Every structure is written in C-alpha cells, then in structure tokens.
Amino acid sequence: MHNMFKKESVENFVRADAGLKRTLTAKDLIGLGVGAVVGTGIFILPGHEAASHAGPAVALAFLFAAILAGVVGMAYAEFSSAMPVAGSAYSFGSVVYGEIIGWILGWGLILEYFLAVSAEATGFASYFNNNILAAIGFNIPKALQNGPMQGGVVNITGVVITLLVGLLALMGTNFSKKIENFAVLVKIGIILLFIVVGVFYIKSSNYVPFYPKQFHTTPFGLGGISTAAATVFFAFMGFDALASNSAETINPNKNMAKGILGTVLIAAVLYVGFLLVLTGMVHYSLLNVDDPAALAFSMVHLNFMNKAITIGALFGIFTAMVTMVIGSSRLVYSLGRDGLISKKMGKINHKTGIPTSAVWLAVIIQAIFAGIAPLTQLVSLINAGTLVAFTFISFGIIPLRHRKDIKNTGYKMPLYPYLPILAGLMSIYFIIMLPNVTKIAVVGWLALGIVIYFVYGIHHSRLQNEE
C-alpha cells in the first residue's frame, strides 16, 4: 500500500521532459484550445441533445457545462502553473495523490483522449460524406460509411482522416500550431456568419416551450438539462488536453492560465449564441441529425450557407482532432516515460522533439475506433472519463497548496478552498447524471486499468525502482 501511494516529484518530471521544445505562446494555446473545443461539440452534438433531452434549453445545458468547465479550468491552470510538465491530470495526480491515483487518472484519460479523436473523426465523416461527396454525385457504399455497430463494415472516411491528422502531428508542434491557428480563424468566422445570417430566420414559436415538459425528470425537474449538460462536457474537454502541453509552453506560469480560461470563455459565447439561433430556426424535434446546422439552412433554402457551414464544420472538426491527437500522444509518452507502459512510448525523437512511437500508437488505436464505433456511444464514454479527471483535479488543489516543496509563483485558483470543493462536488453530480450503461462501462475500464497496474505497471515503474 505504501508503494502504491508513493508520490512523484515535479523535478523528476521536469528533467524527463527536457527533450520537449517550448514553442507555445498564450495565443497558440488559445488557438489549440478553441481548435479542440469548437468541433463536433458544436457542429453535431447540440442537435441530438436538443431532440433527446432538453429542447431549446440545450443552450442552458451548454452554459452550465461551460460554467463548470471554467471553474475546473482554473484548477487545471493552477496545476499547470505549479507543474509545467507533460501528462495533464495523470502527472498532476501522481504528484499530489500518489502513483496509483495518477495511473487511474491516466488510464481514464486514455479512454477520454483516444475516443475523443475517434468521435471527431466520425463527425468529420458524416459532414464530408453527406454534404461534400454526395453533392458532387459520389456516394461511398453504405458498408464503408458505418461501422459494424451501425450495420456497415468500416467508416473508411473516419479512418483516413485520423491517419492524416496523425501524419500532421508527426511534423512537430510548431508546424501543427500554424495550421491550427489559420483553421481556427476560418472556423470562428463561419460560426459568426451562421449566427448573423440565421438570426433573421428565427421563429419565436420554436422556443415554446423552451424546456419541454417531457424532459422534466428528477432531480427537481432538471434531469433533462442535467443529462444534456453531462453529455456535452465532451464539447469542453479541449482545455484538459491543453494541460498536456505544459512542457511545450513558453512561460507556463502565466500562459497556461490565459490559454485555458481564454478557451472556455470564447467557446461558451460561441456555443450559446449558436444554439439559440439553431433552435430558433428549426424545431428541436427535427434536430436529431449529425449535421443540424446544415439542415437549418437547407430548411430555409439557403443552400450557399449550407455549403459554408459544411466547410466550417470540416475545418472545426479537423482542428479539434489535431489538438486531441497531440494531447493523447503526450499522455502516452508520459506513461511510457514513467515505465507504467512500454518505455519505448516515452522516447523522444531528438530531431523533431516529438514522441514518435507514442503518436503512432495513439493514432492507430484512434483510427480503429473511428472505423467501428458510432458517435453517440463514443461521446458518453468520453464524458465519464472527463468528469472523473475533473473531480480529482478540483479536489487536488487542496493537497497541492499544502505541498511545501512545490513553489507556484504563477496563477492560483480564487476563493480557496470553497471553489475547488464546489467544482469537485459539481463534477460528481454530473457523473451521477450520466446514463447507467456509461457508468458501468467506465467502472469496467478503470477496473481493467487497476489490473494492468498490478500486473505490469508497479513492477516496471521508474518511481518504484529508483534508489
């Protein structure tokens, strides 16, 4: 038991990450963060949640999710300032809780990051197949549009785009951020265009009732909004991945906080504005589709806007994938760096400053899931992993402040200790509001992770074997 809870030191992580190049500014982090957050979460997910759980009040669900994400983002910002290392919640947990908790968080983040890329790829395929290829008369056979769980063989478009993003990630963070920053500007421009044009086609009758009665479930009639909010945390997980880039950030004491909090603020404004216009243009009951924004303009016969939204969605989802591939590969690198999985994953290519083996492992697994799994099931599992990490990181601010060996001269979460405790309790509430099948699946995944730790990790761990 003592060995399991042995704590890592920040100095060891900093030395181990010395091969990673610090090239990211606050502006780059916001570009990566908005690139990750504004993707499938805005272009696909809102329609399903409006139709299934909240009606037009889905805008409130996103707002509630954004508030929690912002508060937890403060906790991530403090951790990133105090520990500018790769690995995000895994590394943070290993320092303040001990190796076993760090491993559980890392194992949960593997589920979160890997499936997030696969979900984004599935969303990309839906827009590309239905609104680009079909428009030019090229129809991919049905067997190659969906995986086995949806009656097909493989989602070939999802597999191909995942591999292409992986190749981009291998070219280095510096090159990736240039592509990302350009694509983010295009994406935000398209979303603002949707809001500005769409507002003229809003029908006030579509807002009535704003929160339909059939969704008034427990607790206190807020069950529908709460379930939608728990589901759409997927839309705000980009800042979590940003924390994985702490070791590649210039002046992380200040820039990580700017990047994380700036990302949440921009995303919240874009999401709420987008959703209010979307549910005003189209009755919520018709939005249970994978391309709701394109559908909205089709219904008002603005076909040129339909194509513009499709381009924006493709840019948006592509940039989200770039950030998540980089974040997931840095997580794999961190686990390999510490010996909890094959140490080959912890090797850095000294020419590029990229953990090449970690990138390839992440991308291959992500491509497999993109090819076989449907979007909605991927999203539910992702949210559970996200909220588990949110819980530990929020409460983790308290032991972090008590560590005399960690000197944080940068950002600190306000209203300590009340705000960290509130964020942790809110995260637990939204875990409870997830579907039961999701909770069962995640408990099974974490149990598998614990078995792997005792069979392999604890015996090969660098921390356990150091003198």
Side-chain angles (χ1 to χ4, degrees), residues 10-284:
V10 179
E11 290 74 17
N12 283 345
F13 282 152
V14 170
R15 282 195 298 270
D17 292 340
L20 295 172
K21 299 177 180 179
R22 293 192 181 275
T23 61
L24 298 174
T25 65
K27 177 183 174 183
D28 297 325
L29 289 171
I30 291 176
L32 287 169
V34 174
V37 170
V38 184
T40 294
I42 192 169
F43 290 110
I44 294 180
L45 209 54
H48 293 297
E49 292 309 307
S52 303
H53 295 122
V58 69
L60 292 181
F62 271 82
L63 182 59
F64 294 157
I67 291 170
L68 177 57
V71 175
V72 178
M74 295 177 188
Y76 270 94
E78 178 168 342
F79 268 105
S80 298
S81 176
M83 306 180 204
V85 297
S88 188
Y90 155 67
S91 295
F92 305 154
S94 297
V95 172
V96 298
Y97 292 114
E99 185 177 72
I100 180 64
I101 301 300
W103 164 257
I104 290 172
L105 290 177
W107 187 247
L109 288 176
I110 284 180
L111 180 72
E112 175 189 334
Y113 289 1
F114 280 25
L115 296 189
V117 174
S118 303
E120 298 284 0
T122 304
F124 184 98
S126 178
Y127 265 93
F128 188 75
N129 292 343
N130 297 333
N131 296 290
I132 298 295
L133 294 183
I136 62 176
F138 183 82
N139 294 305
I140 296 178
K142 293 293 184 183
L144 298 180
Q145 290 191 35
N146 298 302
M149 299 175 72
Q150 293 178 299
V153 176
V154 63
N155 184 338
I156 191 66
T157 307
V159 172
V160 170
I161 191 59
T162 303
L163 295 176
L164 289 175
V165 170
L167 291 174
L168 178 62
L170 287 169
M171 294 181 184
T173 306
N174 204 32
F175 178 77
S176 299
K177 76 180 183 184
K178 293 177 182 178
I179 301 294
E180 188 92 350
N181 289 342
F182 169 75
V184 164
L185 292 176
V186 174
K187 171 168 56 177
I188 291 177
I190 295 292
I191 293 172
L192 293 176
L193 182 64
F194 174 87
I195 294 172
V196 170
V197 175
V199 74
F200 293 102
Y201 293 88
I202 288 176
K203 296 179 181 178
S204 58
S205 59
N206 287 332
Y207 290 135
V208 182
F210 191 72
Y211 182 36
K213 191 172 183 178
Q214 67 265 32
F215 301 134
H216 291 202
T217 56
T218 56
F220 312 115
L222 297 175
I225 290 179
S226 297
T227 299
T231 302
V232 301
F233 276 111
F234 167 70
F236 290 97
M237 60 179 294
F239 74 83
D240 180 2
L242 275 187
S244 291
N245 295 317
S246 297
E248 296 165 88
T249 299
I250 301 167
N251 192 12
N253 283 10
K254 295 181 179 179
N255 287 336
M256 286 305 303
K258 292 177 182 177
I260 290 172
L261 299 179
T263 293
V264 175
L265 179 61
I266 292 171
V269 172
L270 289 176
Y271 275 137
V272 173
F274 182 91
L275 291 171
L276 288 174
V277 172
L278 177 66
T279 53
M281 291 178 66
V282 183
H283 193 268
Y284 75 89

Side-chain angles (χ1 to χ4, degrees), residues 288-364:
N288 197 19
V289 296
D290 284 344
D291 51 353
L295 171 70
F297 281 122
S298 294
M299 293 186 69
V300 295
H301 309 294
L302 290 179
N303 291 326
F304 75 96
M305 281 299 299
N306 181 320
K307 298 298 179 269
I309 288 296
T310 296
I311 293 170
L314 294 177
F315 266 97
I317 297 170
F318 180 82
T319 56
M321 292 179 68
V322 171
T323 300
M324 297 311 300
V325 165
I326 293 173
S328 62
S329 64
R330 299 314 183 262
L331 173 62
V332 172
Y333 152 78
S334 301
L335 296 172
R337 171 198 67 192
D338 299 335
L340 296 175
I341 59 175
S342 171
K343 291 183 179 179
K344 185 178 180 181
M345 296 299 121
K347 303 295 183 184
I348 297 172
N349 184 317
H350 295 294
K351 291 183 178 180
T352 62
I354 299 296
T356 305
S357 297
V359 173
W360 275 120
L361 176 66
V363 168
I364 289 171

